[in-house]
Amino acid sequence: MNVQTLRYYERRGLLPEPDRSPAGYRAHTPEAVRIVRFVKRAQLLGFALDEIAELLHLAGGGPDHCDEVRSMAGRPDSRLGPSDRRVVVDT
């Protein structure tokens, strides 16, 4: 992954700004790696970064936000195909 992409995700609020090592290097956490993988998978499914940011926000809300995510996946304008939508809705 390009360093500029990571910094862009930080500026957009998709990734938290990482701690720095004593030498000044960015030390990304395993959680940041998980988020980047999620972002990339969501982009492959056709989600825009604004939509991905909303999904990440909802994911932090726990089970209370599951219905909202299912609703997003089931919207007529959703970029998910029928099999992708089934995975989200049935989860």
Side-chain angles (χ1 to χ4, degrees), residues 5-82:
T5 301
L6 292 174
R7 290 183 182 153
Y8 179 70
Y9 289 171
E10 289 171 14
R11 286 192 307 273
R12 294 276 316 245
L14 297 171
L15 281 176
E17 189 170 328
D19 292 333
R20 298 217 178 223
S21 71
Y25 293 103
R26 294 167 186 254
H28 290 282
T29 64
E31 177 67 8
V33 174
R34 186 190 68 76
I35 291 170
V36 169
R37 287 181 178 155
F38 176 83
V39 169
K40 289 304 182 187
R41 282 192 305 262
Q43 285 179 318
L44 286 173
L45 290 170
F47 284 94
L49 286 179
D50 287 339
E51 294 168 317
I52 295 168
E54 186 176 351
L55 287 170
L56 287 169
H57 171 74
L58 292 171
D64 292 340
H65 288 124
C66 289
D67 289 338
E68 196 166 342
V69 172
R70 286 186 185 103
S71 173
M72 285 177 71
R75 289 190 304 217
D77 66 339
S78 172
R79 291 173 180 81
L80 296 178

